[in-house]
Amino acid sequence: MTRKLAAEKVSAWYGPKKAIEDISLDFEEHATTAIIGPSGCGKSTLIRCLNRLHETVPKARVEGKVLLDDKDVYADDPVAVRRRVGMVFQKANPFPTMSVYDNVAAALRLNGVRDRGKLDKIVKRSLEQAALWDEVKDYLGKPGVSLSGGQQQRLCIARALAAEPEVLLMDEPCSALDPIATAKIEDLIFDLKKDYTVVIVTHNMQQAARVADTTAFMYLGHLIEVGGTRELFERPRETLTESYITGRFG
Amino acid sequence: MIRFGRDVRRRLKDRVMAVLALACVALALIPLGSIVYTVVVRGASVVNPEFFTQIQPIPCSPGANLTCTQGGIGNAIVGTFLLLGLSSAIAIPLGLLAGIYLAEYGKGPLVFAVRFFADVMTGLPSIVMGLFIFATFQLAFPGFVFSAIAGALALAVIIIPFVARTSEEALRLVPGSIREAALALGVPKYRVTVRVVLSSAREGIVTGALLAMARVGGETAPLLLTAGGNSFYSVRLDQPIAAMSLVIYNFATTPYANWNALAWGAALLLVVIMLGLSIAARFLLRHRFHEQRIRG
């Protein structure tokens, strides 16, 4: 396994408030890494540092390095980084004025692709990858926001995949979904890691156990422990990790 | 029993407040109804082809042994549309750019200052705007004060802050998650703004622009000092130009029956146009989605 992405001593602030401190974490290629931890522990902040989205928040600041193929993304153009590192958000956020088709095609269109044949091909492929094609193939002209919540989230996954990223960041992608939609997305994550490097933030420990190869546990802005998912859940090294995964958290 | 009594009291209060609210609505609607009614009753009689095509008639009142011609306000209709079109063409792009700056790019004290002055400007009496353009032209091009371009500029100065603030508000209503979604796709910020945020806010922006046009379409005071009015057809930018609001102002205060009638007609037409703009603002901009399909 090779290292695709790595955080090196990453700290991040919102104004004067430090959200994460000195986090170093490797993400393997073609594997899924889950980041778990209680609310407010900095999981989302960490992955938003990975595609340089954190710095778009007013007064937010990042220190440290994020290496993508061993090159620091903070030495590069943020736009170029975000093309290689896609993201799916906690709440489905399809573009409200765009149809299903246009939502998926957005990444390409907004970056200047006009060839209709190419767009059609990528839209279809992305929707198939996101396990949504069969449900929407006859409604591609309908507004993206008219789909159900679970479908909208898969639409957002398709939109991210259409940009052909190398890494896919998922920030609690199932937190607003019912168990059936969640199961669909988990199956999807399982398939996606064949082609992508997946990083998923989740509240749900069962979910991490189901989809992740590696799991990292964060608490109060610190990385407490990282290891193989099975190992972390069955034989945690840190007492903090153990009390969190056994639900004895104070 | 206590609970029952309290329920009855609450239901009674609810009814009283509902009736009170309804009464206030009715009260507020009375002036509007009265205006529309009077304008229609007194203005409708002159609205015919002559009204739209002719210019002002020789002033006359019935009673003398001559037949009055009705005449029309064709020149004023052309003038109003020209002034509106020209001022919108100047003001809407500028206002929109200012709104984009305020909502998407601006930081720190400059934003505060721009927003503050925009608010102050929207509150200024429109005659002050007219006076500003009048004085500017008087100083810069003496002898060239009353002109269509001066009128359009006066209206534009009124529109700019209005459009800036309404488009800022419309842009602010676009959720941050939409911007993040687009940024996360590796789209440069300016393109996110133009292609995603602006299009998500387009209803609010167009509504604001149409309302701004409706607002200045009936302006009279600034035009008195700038457009000047014209009894004849003219579309020259460097010449004085007629406008419906000026027709109403000038004709309503004369003793001549046929001019008074034209003023009522102009008032009716102006109300209809402004109402049309407001209704257009509401209905023109439904999201349009069309059939899309991929074969295979």
Side-chain angles (χ1 to χ4, degrees):
Chain A
M1 285 283 208
T2 49
R3 177 176 88 165
K4 178 73 186 173
L5 185 69
E8 270 187 9
K9 293 183 181 296
V10 172
S11 300
W13 289 259
Y14 293 94
K17 190 178 164 290
K18 202 168 193 173
I20 56 175
E21 185 160 4
D22 229 9
I23 294 196
S24 297
L25 183 56
D26 287 356
F27 303 93
E28 301 289 341
E29 191 163 21
H30 301 312
T32 300
T33 305
I35 303 172
I36 61 170
S39 296
C41 71
K43 327 182 273 293
S44 297
T45 307
L46 174 62
I47 72 163
R48 289 167 60 89
C49 290
L50 300 180
N51 67 343
R52 299 194 59 176
L53 208 56
H54 177 68
E55 69 205 47
T56 63
V57 177
K59 294 187 180 138
R61 188 160 68 83
V62 184
E63 264 177 25
K65 283 183 181 170
V66 172
L67 304 176
L68 178 61
D69 289 333
D70 290 321
K71 273 203 199 125
D72 188 6
V73 302
Y74 283 89
D76 200 351
D77 172 19
V79 171
V81 173
R82 293 181 200 130
R83 273 184 210 171
R84 298 176 63 195
V85 182
M87 187 162 194
V88 175
F89 296 82
Q90 182 169 2
K91 202 165 154 275
N93 51 2
F95 298 130
T97 55
M98 295 188 195
S99 65
V100 171
Y101 182 101
D102 294 336
N103 260 287
V104 182
L108 300 155
R109 283 226 180 103
L110 292 173
N111 286 321
V113 179
R114 291 227 174 71
D115 176 357
R116 186 62 201 231
K118 188 178 175 193
L119 287 173
D120 278 0
K121 218 171 78 201
I122 295 176
V123 167
K124 180 163 189 272
R125 192 198 62 210
S126 307
L127 285 168
E128 281 170 347
Q129 275 183 307
L132 188 60
W133 171 252
D134 290 330
E135 290 162 57
V136 300
K137 66 180 176 214
D138 298 322
Y139 310 102
L140 295 174
K142 278 211 321 185
V145 285
S146 69
L147 301 179
S148 76
Q151 288 174 329
Q152 285 189 27
Q153 191 60 299
R154 278 178 285 151
L155 177 63
C156 293
I157 294 174
R159 180 179 64 189
L161 295 178
E164 303 182 317
E166 296 158 43
V167 179
L168 191 63
L169 308 174
M170 305 178 105
D171 187 357
E172 299 189 42
C174 304
S175 67
L177 303 182
D178 73 13
I180 297 166
T182 301
K184 280 193 178 157
I185 289 183
E186 286 180 6
D187 286 346
L188 179 65
I189 294 168
F190 208 80
D191 289 339
L192 288 177
K193 74 175 184 189
K194 288 183 207 125
D195 303 309
Y196 304 90
T197 301
V198 181
V199 180
I200 179 171
V201 160
T202 177
H203 262 331
N204 181 327
M205 285 177 276
Q206 286 79 13
Q207 181 168 66
R210 286 191 297 264
V211 302
D213 302 291
T214 306
T215 298
F217 171 61
M218 284 179 69
Y219 183 61
L220 296 179
H222 293 269
L223 179 65
I224 305 298
E225 181 170 353
V226 54
T229 299
R230 216 188 162 125
E231 200 182 295
L232 185 119
F233 280 105
E234 288 174 3
R235 292 183 303 278
R237 291 187 300 270
E238 304 288 332
T239 40
L240 260 175
T241 316
E242 189 180 354
S243 42
Y244 182 69
I245 60 179
T246 51
R248 275 185 282 120
F249 219 74
Chain B
M1 283 311 278
I2 294 167
R3 171 161 288 272
F4 175 75
R6 192 199 283 157
D7 276 1
V8 168
R9 252 202 331 270
R10 281 183 180 168
R11 231 173 288 153
L12 202 70
K13 261 192 220 161
D14 179 54
R15 289 304 289 270
V16 170
M17 290 314 287
V19 169
L20 225 73
L22 204 67
C24 290
V25 170
L27 208 66
L29 286 178
I30 286 172
L32 179 68
S34 158
I35 289 170
V36 172
Y37 175 80
T38 317
V39 165
V40 169
V41 166
R42 308 195 63 162
S45 62
V46 293
V47 180
N48 52 33
E50 196 183 341
F51 175 76
F52 288 100
T53 53
Q54 298 299 309
I55 58 170
Q56 64 184 64
I58 297 159
C60 102
S61 286
N65 51 358
L66 41 87
T67 46
C68 294
T69 49
Q70 183 204 300
I73 57 161
N75 55 331
I77 296 171
V78 169
T80 288
F81 277 105
L82 188 122
L83 286 169
L84 261 186
L86 199 58
S87 57
S88 304
I90 298 166
I92 291 174
L94 286 175
L96 182 58
L97 284 173
I100 290 173
Y101 171 76
L102 289 175
E104 303 291 326
Y105 288 93
K107 285 193 191 102
L110 186 58
V111 169
F112 179 80
V114 171
R115 192 179 293 135
F116 177 76
F117 285 114
D119 283 342
V120 169
M121 274 171 79
T122 48
L124 277 184
S126 57
I127 194 163
V128 176
M129 302 294 200
L131 210 52
F132 164 67
I133 296 295
F134 176 82
T136 308
F137 269 67
Q138 194 71 271
L139 291 171
F141 322 102
F144 178 61
V145 177
F146 294 107
S147 60
I149 188 70
L153 282 174
L155 297 186
V157 175
I158 299 169
I159 297 176
I160 289 169
F162 193 85
V163 170
R165 293 292 276 135
T166 53
S167 47
E168 184 200 351
E169 295 303 328
L171 290 167
R172 276 186 193 286
L173 285 178
V174 177
S177 64
I178 300 299
R179 289 179 186 80
E180 286 197 334
L183 283 174
L185 290 174
V187 181
K189 166 131 185 175
Y190 74 91
R191 215 174 289 166
V192 172
T193 305
V194 173
R195 301 271 301 266
V196 177
V197 181
L198 218 51
S199 92
S200 301
R202 66 187 171 192
E203 283 181 58
I205 291 168
V206 173
T207 306
L210 287 176
L211 289 179
M213 287 169 74
R215 203 187 124 130
V216 297
E219 280 292 351
T220 318
L223 293 183
L224 281 173
L225 295 167
T226 52
N230 193 325
S231 307
F232 304 97
Y233 274 105
S234 165
V235 288
R236 284 187 56 176
L237 299 186
D238 59 345
Q239 293 296 316
I241 194 163
M244 285 191 265
S245 57
L246 293 176
V247 165
I248 299 170
Y249 176 78
N250 289 328
F251 287 8
T253 50
T254 64
Y256 311 114
N258 58 349
W259 280 16
N260 288 167
L262 284 179
W264 281 111
L268 174 60
L269 187 57
L270 208 51
V271 167
V272 168
I273 291 170
M274 296 317 138
L275 218 64
L277 277 175
S278 301
I279 292 170
R282 239 161 236 283
F283 286 100
L284 254 175
L285 280 142
R286 300 268 161 98
H287 292 312
R288 269 177 245 126
F289 285 93
H290 40 274
E291 195 73 6
Q292 280 177 319
R293 196 167 276 279
I294 299 174
R295 272 175 289 278

